[in-house]
Amino acid sequence: MTGVEVRHRRAVALAAVALVGLTGCEGPDPNNLETYYDDPVPTSTPAAAAAAPATSQAPVSPAKATPVAPDPGRLAEQALLTDADVAEEGVQPGSGAVSGCLADGPSAGSRTASWRYPSGSVLSHRVVVFPERSAAQAVAENECAGKTVSVPGQPGVERQQAWCDGKTCTVLLAKGRLVSELTVSASTEARAVDAAKRLLPAMTAKLVAQP
């Protein structure tokens, strides 16, 4: 081989090496994971969204209504005997005049009703509210003329008393702030007491039903 051929082959080899070097610099090395793939663009994920603090609202308690005191007149009216309650006595509504021995209570808390028997006897009922003291105390401090009589004890009442003054008999029942007063004026004391005994259950039921 001549010197010219040797120099020619060396030139070809150098050109090949340079070409390989240029080719290696044009793209990323497939064995280098740090440069072969482009960096991913960060995006929000459901997990990241879930990790974000949530705005919470404290529960608001409903406003409590201020209790309203019962109307005294309405309580007395609800405890008052009606025409239906005394229908079996065979009476008719009376003139409204009411007798009895209970000391007068506050007029705003009092309701009355009266009826008349065919014989002329009179039946009256009154309910009085005592807002400043208990009804039992009002009855205990009350003095009725005549003599005390015995009538069946009534369940649910706090105090009970009965008197007869001649042919007029009165029964007082007390519960809470209410006093229920039943008065019967008949031809004899015995008839007055009997009528009061018959009406006691209805009178008591209406009284104990009130707050």
Side-chain angles (χ1 to χ4, degrees), residues 93-100 112-116 122-126 183 185:
S95 61
V98 177
S99 61
T112 61
S114 64
W115 300 267
R116 185 173 294 276
V122 177
L123 168 66
S124 63
H125 185 227
R126 178 170 63 151
T183 302
S185 295

Side-chain angles (χ1 to χ4, degrees), residues 44-54:
S44 60
T45 63

Side-chain angles (χ1 to χ4, degrees), residues 46-68:
T55 303
S56 60
Q57 295 182 352
V60 179
S61 301
K64 294 183 179 180
T66 303
V68 178

Side-chain angles (χ1 to χ4, degrees), residues 9-98:
R9 290 186 177 183
R10 286 180 178 176
V12 172
L14 289 173
V17 172
L19 180 61
V20 171
L22 291 174
T23 305
C25 295
E26 289 178 357
D29 184 358
N31 295 322
N32 187 345
L33 296 179
E34 294 181 357
T35 59
Y36 189 75
Y37 297 102
D38 293 334
D39 292 337
V41 178
T43 59
S44 60
T45 63
T55 303
S56 60
Q57 295 182 352
V60 179
S61 301
K64 294 183 179 180
T66 303
V68 178
D71 175 56
R74 180 172 177 80
L75 287 178
E77 184 175 351
Q78 291 176 339
L80 191 68
L81 292 175
T82 65
D83 292 345
D85 296 323
V86 299
E88 293 186 2
E89 291 293 302
V91 295
Q92 297 294 324
S95 61
V98 177

